[in-house]
Amino acid sequence: MAPADKEFLPMPPHSNRYDVTEWPFGDAAHDIGAVINDILRDVKERQRGSDVEDGGRPGAVIQIPPGDYRLRTQVVIDVSFLRIEGAGHGFTSSSIRFNVPEAEWSGLHELWPGGSRVMVDLDDVRPGDEASGAAFLVARTGSPRISSVEFVGFCIDGLHFTAPGPDDNVENSYVNGKTGIFVQDANDSFRVNGMGFVYLENALTIYNADALSIHDNFIAECGSCVELRGWGQASKITDNLIGAGFAGHSIYAENHGGLLITANNVFPRGASSVSLHAVTRSSVTNNRLHSFYPGMIVLAAGSSENLVASNHFLRDHEPWTPFLGVEGRYDDAFGLAHVEGDGNSIMGNHFSEVVAASRVRPVGAAPVIVRVAGGSGNRVSDNHVVASDVDPGSQDSAFEAQVEALLSTDKARPLAVIAVRVDPASSGNTILDSGTEDEVDADPEANAIRFTPSVRPSHSTAAGQKMVRT
């Protein structure tokens, strides 16, 4: 026992569990932020000793029962071993409801998200100050890093968007300056599991993460969904349902190593599905990626030695009336997968490009599927490209429009594409079985290339005719 801690005694474990609805300070329904902050004050007051009989600061569990809780005061977390848990992620589509005429709202079963729902209603959101708009701010410097903070099983709802948006509807702008969870300082072994995020400009922004787990969340209708900034290592983003706004990132990471991105279902309408900036030795595998724009996966700023494998890519057009005419930041020459780095492996992926030839940008160009724009030693191997020229439709119902677009495979015409393009700035790459000779645009003197065999008319046989090999 350290001398400074002799005055402290161990506390019974049951005293470290809190319920926001039973705490004597404040009213959780009126301002859950003030209530949680006072609970954290109590935790720190009672757990002052850092070394009491081989323990001393076990942390706490804060429970949020099902209900609607307005957050008028930002929660500031500076203790380790804290778990804030609810009783359901409560997601429902606010975007669909806000694009239904108000006269029809009375016929809807629900109007708002549910479960254990935290409604972000902060007044002092300062432009350009990311931290000021965060419902939950995690901030602690010094050693050791803040560790083992968990957010589990509740909903963070930004309520409304506020800037001009498509279809003259501010609720379509994805802008309100609000963030769900903002982790400002270096951290270790955080978990964000089973959460719901909706109508936030930024759902989850985490700096300097080590061994972070973002798993089994529903993160949608937010400007950007997951952003790992600063630097980090050995983290994972797995088994989430994710969909960002047209100007934001679904999954973004910078300066990370050993990052695992797998088994996510990333749906529109993010400007990118996965964007990696100076990320190395990481894996993007077994994801289902769906986008309305090129640049679905971007390996930029020297991202190197990454594995992108066994993913399903679908690129098609926006079918929902309120967002028709919204274009992405890249044209079709950018590629669905865009690589600038060394030693990356793009292997065994399926690409479905289902667009109208008349809407390809630049006009008259063939869309590019995989573009290696820089670096060397990259391997593009055994990817399957299915490209179709279609006549896209549109509907007022978001659900029906998107399901119809997903299931439609008839009335499609073949679409000429560049399956792999290697820019002159890149060399020493290996391109195997990822496009026919007509579909690969690369210098064979600077890269190793094996084309996918073409089906040749001379090898076809008439019905009932046998092919004899001599």
Side-chain angles (χ1 to χ4, degrees), residues 313-451:
F313 293 75
L314 168 62
R315 191 259 159 145
D316 58 7
H317 292 301
E318 170 73 68
W320 194 25
T321 303
F323 289 92
L324 294 179
V326 176
E327 296 288 356
R329 66 182 64 173
Y330 306 117
D331 64 23
D332 291 283
F334 188 79
L336 298 187
H338 186 94
V339 179
E340 296 179 41
D342 302 326
N344 296 291
S345 297
I346 316 296
M347 305 171 64
N349 300 286
H350 177 100
F351 294 88
S352 289
E353 173 96 357
V354 185
V355 298
S358 61
R359 292 175 57 179
V360 171
R361 299 180 298 145
V363 175
V368 176
I369 305 302
V370 178
R371 181 172 176 182
V372 183
S376 64
N378 297 290
R379 186 181 183 95
V380 182
S381 176
D382 293 281
N383 298 289
H384 184 206
V385 177
V386 179
S388 303
D389 174 17
V390 298
D391 300 315
S394 63
Q395 288 195 32
D396 292 332
S397 167
F399 178 68
E400 292 179 5
Q402 293 184 10
V403 171
E404 181 177 323
L406 283 171
L407 297 181
S408 296
T409 58
D410 57 352
K411 300 180 181 178
R413 301 166 293 275
L415 177 70
V417 298
I418 301 298
V420 183
R421 170 168 286 163
V422 181
D423 288 10
S426 179
S427 61
N429 304 289
T430 301
I431 315 299
L432 302 176
D433 301 318
S434 294
T436 66
E437 188 171 1
D438 293 335
E439 294 172 336
V440 176
D441 179 14
D443 181 356
E445 299 297 323
N447 303 279
I449 304 172
R450 185 175 70 201
F451 303 112

Side-chain angles (χ1 to χ4, degrees), residues 9 72 116 130 133 183 201 275 322 393:
L9 297 174
R72 292 184 165 95
S116 299
E130 290 181 291
V183 182
E201 186 167 341
S275 182

